[in-house]
Amino acid sequence: MEAQVRDYGFSPAQQDEIWRRWREGQSFSLIGRALGAPMQSARRFLYQSGGVRLTPQMRSERHLSGSEREEIPAVSLRGNRPGSWPSGSLDDEDFVIQTATTRPTKLGQPFTRWSLRKLVAYLRKIHGRAIRIGREALGGLLARRGVTFQRTKTWKESPDPQREAKLDRFPDRVFAFDEFGPLGIRPTGGNCWAAQTRPGRVPATYHRTHGVRYFHGCYSVGDDTLWGVNHRKKGAANSLAALKSIRAARPDGAPIYVILDNLSAHKGSDIRRWARKHKVELCFTPTYASWANPIEAHFGPLRQFTIANSHHPNHTVQIRALRAYLRWRNANARHRDVLTAERKERARIRSEKGIRWGGRPLATAA
């Protein structure tokens, strides 16, 4: 079967003449004038193959066409192709899966992950249970059993001895508080819609003379409302001011509960004394358990929609942008974009599947 070449209106005899003159070194204008054709047609005809005449390609006798492949039964393909593993028992398959999902270092191998070649070689050398399987069959077995090649992720397990007790203190009627930052004045890359091959750009900066700010955020779980104030630094006085704004959101005097992390600025004597006086119970998250604070998931959309792809000239403009977003967000708390960004941020913080807010496994439906 000869490769598909566009003839550009030239007959086979004219094509042979074009190639002969081209090998002699004649220009496109001479070739076109000799054949009575435009110079551009001769040039396009030659350039489509890079100026090299393609030789006819014949199909090998062992080559199967698409229709011939379809005639072969699927069972025959599975059982007789090179590298297949038709005789593997379920116990052998389970053993292969268990080996593939075990770190090689635990099995005495000098590498941190398996490749198909290494795994095949290891399975063939196991004393007392040598398993002969090809790489193709091994890849098919892993795919069939839901084992894929993925990036590893990091996560932290809380060593706090009071972890469960602290999580049990988080009732339904709660608020959350945390700092978001530092927020500097610099162009920040992000994503935007733009013409193809013409991405949006923000200028580079090498002089940052505006300092940083920290957004002291407050979140009402029941009302799904987010608010906060920017300050130059973290501190007990700024934390106390944020807690007072939370108390003002419930002026009825009933007890409220505020979830916050174990930062030293959250545990000062003034804060504890004020909390006892105004019926505010401080619920500290366990160590390395920032996912237990529900406000963390809302910092993701805040970063995505106000900081990313921005170039604020100063902190005043940045604060105005934050407040404008907070007003829009509280009026559109169930917007699909907001929910999607919150879900992604929550998954990034937890880095675990099947864990709901509070760190408890999802209850399976009966």
Side-chain angles (χ1 to χ4, degrees), residues 101-291:
T101 54
T102 303
R103 282 184 171 269
T105 52
K106 293 185 178 181
L107 301 176
Q109 301 303 304
F111 31 84
T112 58
R113 68 171 180 85
W114 295 111
S115 66
L116 290 181
R117 289 181 184 273
K118 292 183 175 65
L119 185 54
V120 167
Y122 176 80
L123 293 173
R124 291 181 179 180
K125 296 179 181 180
I126 298 177
H127 297 288
R129 191 171 186 173
I131 297 178
R132 299 187 61 84
I133 182 174
R135 282 179 291 163
E136 292 185 9
L138 177 60
L141 172 62
L142 295 176
R144 190 169 66 253
R145 297 292 290 269
V147 178
T148 59
F149 193 74
Q150 306 175 28
R151 292 180 59 88
T152 55
K153 297 182 178 180
T154 59
W155 62 281
K156 292 181 179 179
E157 179 65 27
S158 174
D160 196 330
Q162 300 180 353
R163 175 179 182 273
E164 295 299 327
K166 289 182 177 180
L167 291 176
D168 288 337
R169 295 176 63 198
F170 296 168
D172 294 333
R173 185 175 179 265
V174 297
F175 292 82
F177 165 72
D178 199 6
E179 294 90 356
F180 173 62
L183 303 176
I185 298 302
R186 62 183 181 88
T188 305
N191 302 304
C192 67
W193 293 99
Q196 189 175 7
T197 70
R198 294 182 178 274
R201 298 182 182 275
V202 291
T205 178
Y206 304 97
H207 303 283
R208 301 171 185 174
T209 59
H210 295 272
V212 298
R213 298 291 187 273
Y214 291 90
F215 175 74
H216 290 61
C218 307
Y219 176 64
S220 172
V221 177
D223 299 335
D224 195 7
T225 304
L226 181 67
W227 72 94
V229 180
N230 285 43
H231 293 288
R232 291 180 178 272
K233 61 181 181 179
K234 300 179 182 179
N238 296 332
S239 299
L240 180 58
L243 294 176
K244 289 181 179 179
S245 70
I246 293 177
R247 177 72 269 186
R250 289 290 187 275
D252 53 4
I256 62 174
Y257 307 86
V258 180
I259 303 174
L260 64 171
D261 58 29
N262 290 275
L263 186 68
S264 60
H266 302 166
K267 297 181 176 180
S269 58
D270 293 340
I271 292 179
R272 293 182 181 273
R273 185 165 49 252
W274 175 88
R276 286 192 300 268
K277 180 179 179 181
H278 295 84
K279 297 182 181 180
V280 177
E281 183 172 354
L282 304 179
C283 305
F284 295 102
T285 60
T287 309
Y288 301 146
S290 59
W291 43 261

